[in-house]
Amino acid sequence: TTTADKPPLYLYLADGGPMEDLGIVQLLRRKQRWILSFDVGDDPNVELLDLRDAIALAKSEGICSFFDPKEPRRDLEHLLQEYIHGRRSSEGGGANVKEATLHLGVLYHQQDGEPERVGDIFHTRLRLLDHMEAVSRVQGCISREEVLRPAEAEAAPAQAAADGEELP
């Protein structure tokens, strides 16, 4: 492991390729102390699919185990669920505390008498802010029917919008 007193001039970002989308497992194999993870994968319900895949792969390879840094005795699934539910909009009024970053502790498995090593993963699931979700919904793929629709079918909604009429 290389260390320095000054931060590097450049920060190289990469994904994990075909095995694991976040690139976390490659860093866990190197027993990195600090790992920053930014998740922009296809996970509209914020179930942390890519993170769960990375955790499963690291465990299956015997690299490390994961824990809640604030309460290491607690099952990791509780921490994941708290993050998931905190990221969703609250029902009804009142404040909803939302954590932008999920903090996971890492305990690397020891090999041949090496000292115990720990790490930290700071995972952020990027998504629209609550007040933007209604305004900026991502549209799905264009269907075959939309592509093959006659041109006159497109003219009516466009004319209605030009006339100031609300569309369904």
Side-chain angles (χ1 to χ4, degrees):
T1 302
T2 304
T3 60
D5 293 330
K6 292 183 179 178
L9 293 176
Y10 299 98
L11 179 65
Y12 296 96
L13 302 175
D15 70 11
M19 293 298 293
E20 179 262 313
D21 289 336
L22 299 175
I24 292 173
V25 174
Q26 287 293 334
L27 297 170
L28 291 170
R29 288 178 183 138
R30 297 177 193 157
K31 298 186 176 185
Q32 296 297 302
R33 175 69 178 97
W34 307 101
I35 298 173
L36 303 177
S37 169
F38 298 94
D39 185 354
V40 295
D42 184 18
D43 186 5
N45 295 324
V46 190
E47 297 175 51
L48 304 176
L49 301 175
D50 290 334
L51 180 62
R52 289 175 187 275
D53 287 346
I55 289 170
L57 181 59
K59 285 181 176 181
S60 73
E61 291 185 13
I63 299 170
C64 60
S65 58
F66 300 88
F67 61 91
D68 178 349
K70 291 182 182 173
E71 180 50 72
R73 298 173 297 175
R74 194 165 70 139
D75 186 78
L76 185 62
E77 184 61 27
H78 292 288
L79 178 63
L80 297 178
Q81 288 300 319
E82 283 179 0
Y83 180 76
I84 289 168
H85 295 296
R87 295 288 292 157
R88 293 183 178 164
S89 17
S90 61
E91 297 293 325
N96 183 19
V97 176
K98 295 182 180 187
E99 295 293 329
T101 303
L102 172 63
H103 182 193
L104 299 175
V106 177
L107 176 62
Y108 290 104
H109 294 161
Q110 294 175 278
Q111 297 175 351
D112 302 325
E114 67 183 5
E116 182 178 89
R117 295 182 67 180
V118 294
D120 292 275
I121 297 174
F122 297 93
H123 179 81
T124 299
R125 172 79 182 123
L126 301 179
R127 53 179 275 161
L128 294 172
L129 300 173
D130 286 344
H131 70 279
M132 294 298 294
E133 285 186 18
V135 176
S136 305
R137 297 223 183 259
V138 175
Q139 296 181 357
C141 295
I142 297 174
S143 69
R144 179 177 172 78
E145 291 76 25
E146 288 177 295
V147 172
L148 298 177
R149 185 181 314 162
E152 60 272 2
E154 293 296 321
Q159 184 59 47
D163 294 340
E165 297 176 26
E166 281 197 35
L167 298 174

